[in-house]
């Protein structure tokens, strides 16, 4: 699976959303993942920490970051790399793309949030291929509205 995913990422410039175990399979090509345009990662904080460590990103990502520190970190990371990011930490969803970051609170814990989030984000990205930030932010808004019901 990892070899097929790596090969697809190299040969295709199509939009791709990567989540859950697939993120874990790409640590050995972390820099390539972060540098690939049209790539969205829906990851846990731990997965993102491991990915940026493997890519030798100089700034550490810490669990104890406040919301503002996380926003600043993601803004810098997505200014440096063209990757789009969605992560959830301390009951807040963070969407980051091209130096823009949005936050959406979600106090309802979801055990499998990454899979559902990746599916919704994929649809919004497909419908809005030139507006990644807006698509991802809207996907999270939609998700939190479903959670509230």
């Amino acid at each position: 699976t990892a070899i097929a995913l790596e090969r697809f990422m190299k040969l295709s410039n199509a939009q791709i959303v990567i989540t859950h175990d697939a993120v874990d399979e790409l640590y050995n090509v972390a820099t390539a993942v972060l540098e690939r345009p049209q790539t969205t990662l829906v990851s846990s904080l731990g997965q993102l920490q491991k990915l940026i460590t493997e890519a030798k990103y100089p700034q550490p990502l810490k669990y104890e970051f406040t919301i503002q520190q996380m926003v600043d970190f993601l803004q810098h990371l997505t200014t440096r790399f063209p990757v789009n990011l969605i992560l959830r930490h301390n009951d807040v969803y963070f969407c980051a793309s091209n130096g823009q970051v949005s936050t959406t609170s979600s106090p309802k814990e979801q055990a499998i949030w990454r899979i559902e989030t990746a599916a919704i984000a994929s649809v919004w990205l497909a419908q809005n291929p030139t507006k990644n930030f807006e698509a991802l932010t809207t996907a999270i808004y939609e998700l939190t509205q479903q959670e509230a019901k």
Side-chain angles (χ1 to χ4, degrees):
T1 305
I3 293 169
L5 186 55
E6 287 177 38
R7 181 169 229 196
F8 176 79
M9 290 177 61
K10 287 180 184 175
L11 298 176
S12 173
N13 63 354
Q15 182 71 253
I16 185 172
V17 178
I18 305 168
T19 193
H20 220 268
D21 294 344
V23 175
D24 299 332
E25 296 294 331
L26 296 171
Y27 293 144
N28 62 330
V29 290
T31 302
V33 171
L34 294 172
E35 290 178 341
R36 185 185 183 276
Q38 303 297 338
T39 301
T40 300
L41 298 176
V42 180
S43 72
S44 68
L45 188 68
Q47 287 177 313
L48 185 57
Q49 280 180 318
K50 177 83 170 157
L51 201 67
I52 64 171
T53 299
E54 293 296 323
K56 310 260 189 285
Y57 190 68
Q59 187 178 359
L61 174 59
K62 300 178 182 178
Y63 277 96
E64 59 270 5
F65 274 177
T66 64
I67 291 174
Q68 185 59 55
Q69 289 171 316
M70 184 69 74
V71 167
D72 292 342
F73 179 88
L74 294 173
Q75 181 181 31
H76 290 290
L77 183 66
T78 60
T79 299
R80 165 65 180 85
F81 296 107
V83 70
N84 303 312
L85 300 169
I86 297 177
L87 62 101
R88 181 185 167 120
H89 183 59
N90 291 336
D91 297 328
V92 176
Y93 285 103
F94 295 87
C95 296
S97 179
N98 198 29
Q100 295 180 287
V101 181
S102 67
T103 60
T104 306
S105 106
S106 178
K108 188 174 179 183
E109 184 59 41
Q110 294 255 1
I112 57 168
W113 71 269
R114 289 176 288 173
I115 295 168
E116 185 176 0
T117 302
I120 294 170
S122 295
V123 171
W124 279 98
L125 287 166
Q127 293 173 342
N128 301 279
T130 62
K131 297 181 178 181
N132 292 336
F133 178 73
E134 292 85 349
L136 297 175
T137 299
T138 303
I140 293 303
Y141 174 77
E142 180 180 308
L143 181 69
T144 57
Q145 295 307 298
Q146 290 175 7
E147 288 176 358
K149 293 182 183 177

